[in-house]
Amino acid sequence: DAGVIQSPRHEVTEMGQEVTLRCKPISGHNSLFWYRQTMMRGLELLIYFNNNVPIDDSGMPEDRFSAKMPNASFSTLKIQPSEPRDSAVYFCASRQVTGTGDYTGELFFGEGSRLTVL
Amino acid sequence: AQSVAQPEDQVNVAEGNPLTVKCTYSVSGNPYLFWYVQYPNRGLQFLLKYITGDNLVKGSYGFEAEFNKSQTSFHLKKPSALVSDSALYFCAVRPLSGGYNKLIFGAGTRLAVHP
């Protein structure tokens, strides 16, 4: 399997522009997570989906952030409008939650999307 | 609040020496605890987990971790460090309430192994 695939790997944009980050989870995984990593705040969970349904978006910093998962193989994280403080590495991760509700399985991370907002 | 703390920003070890990366947790009840590693410009990779049973858990790349309930700790250890172990290490906990399917990560500890 190719693993979790994120695009773009690097994005430089100007303040006020819309940014869309994309993620393709591992085939067969039914849970998907978006994390943000910065030096100041470490690794923060933004939102996660189970079976394409958003479960907990309490980590989404503001209304400027939105995430969708239209199907089991694709998710987007959108920032509109972007601000310099949004500069970070954004990680997507996925895992399979079994029918018995085992939530202890390994989380597989993508390589991350490094966003710089000027 | 349910959380993990990694008290050291950085740990320096000479190659061949044993290493310990510390983690303490704050979770009521029986915690589910994890260690992940991040190499430069890469995503996090799973190392090991404690769910129940033996307090000493063995994981990838020769790492192990010891769950200590009385000290609320889950320290990561390796008997003999390699230069290639240099990376950022994260301890994580799965909440027992308010979201069974998410992991809360610590701030991370940078391990530097010197030749």
Side-chain angles (χ1 to χ4, degrees):
Chain A
D1 198 314
V4 177
I5 298 173
Q6 293 186 244
S7 65
R9 290 295 311 278
H10 302 273
E11 172 111 5
V12 180
T13 190
E14 293 187 348
M15 183 174 64
Q17 296 299 306
E18 178 178 295
V19 173
T20 298
L21 307 179
R22 298 172 177 81
C23 175
K24 176 178 168 57
I26 292 174
S27 177
H29 283 189
N30 54 6
S31 289
L32 183 141
F33 305 76
W34 283 100
Y35 282 89
R36 178 173 68 175
Q37 185 178 35
T38 61
M39 289 291 292
M40 292 298 295
R41 301 175 69 89
L43 200 61
E44 302 172 278
L45 176 63
L46 300 178
I47 185 172
Y48 74 94
F49 298 81
N50 284 352
N51 297 313
N52 313 338
V53 176
I55 301 300
D56 184 349
D57 65 354
S58 59
M60 297 285 263
E62 302 171 30
D63 291 344
R64 298 184 297 106
F65 285 69
S66 62
K68 294 182 179 180
M69 192 165 185
N71 57 61
S73 59
F74 184 65
S75 177
T76 59
L77 178 67
K78 186 174 294 186
I79 309 172
Q80 166 63 19
S82 58
E83 297 183 2
R85 60 194 169 118
D86 301 331
S87 298
V89 180
Y90 291 82
F91 287 102
C92 177
S94 71
R95 73 166 157 209
Q96 184 177 19
V97 177
T98 67
T100 56
D102 179 6
Y103 299 105
T104 64
E106 177 181 349
L107 202 56
F108 291 83
F109 282 77
E111 303 265 292
S113 293
R114 182 175 296 276
L115 173 65
T116 302
V117 184
L118 303 175
Chain B
Q2 298 162 107
S3 64
V4 289
Q6 295 181 245
E8 303 156 315
D9 290 337
Q10 179 152 335
V11 171
N12 297 298
V13 177
E15 187 174 32
N17 283 0
L19 70 87
T20 298
V21 182
K22 295 180 180 177
C23 173
T24 58
Y25 64 89
S26 174
V27 172
S28 57
N30 297 317
Y32 291 3
L33 297 160
F34 305 78
W35 276 102
Y36 281 76
V37 60
Q38 184 181 26
Y39 298 101
N41 301 313
R42 304 294 298 275
L44 280 69
Q45 297 176 34
F46 172 81
L47 275 180
L48 52 79
K49 65 183 178 184
Y50 172 81
I51 305 301
T52 186
D54 195 345
N55 290 343
L56 186 63
V57 180
K58 295 189 183 297
S60 306
Y61 312 120
F63 283 93
E64 58 189 27
E66 185 169 11
F67 172 67
N68 188 317
K69 189 169 185 177
S70 63
Q71 298 186 2
T72 63
S73 67
F74 189 55
H75 300 332
L76 182 69
K77 300 180 180 183
K78 187 174 183 181
S80 178
L82 300 172
V83 173
S84 57
D85 293 329
S86 299
L88 191 55
Y89 290 82
F90 291 93
C91 183
V93 64
R94 195 209 80 176
L96 297 177
S97 63
Y100 298 114
N101 194 15
K102 63 182 184 183
L103 285 182
I104 298 173
F105 287 87
T109 298
R110 189 165 301 280
L111 173 66
V113 182
H114 306 285

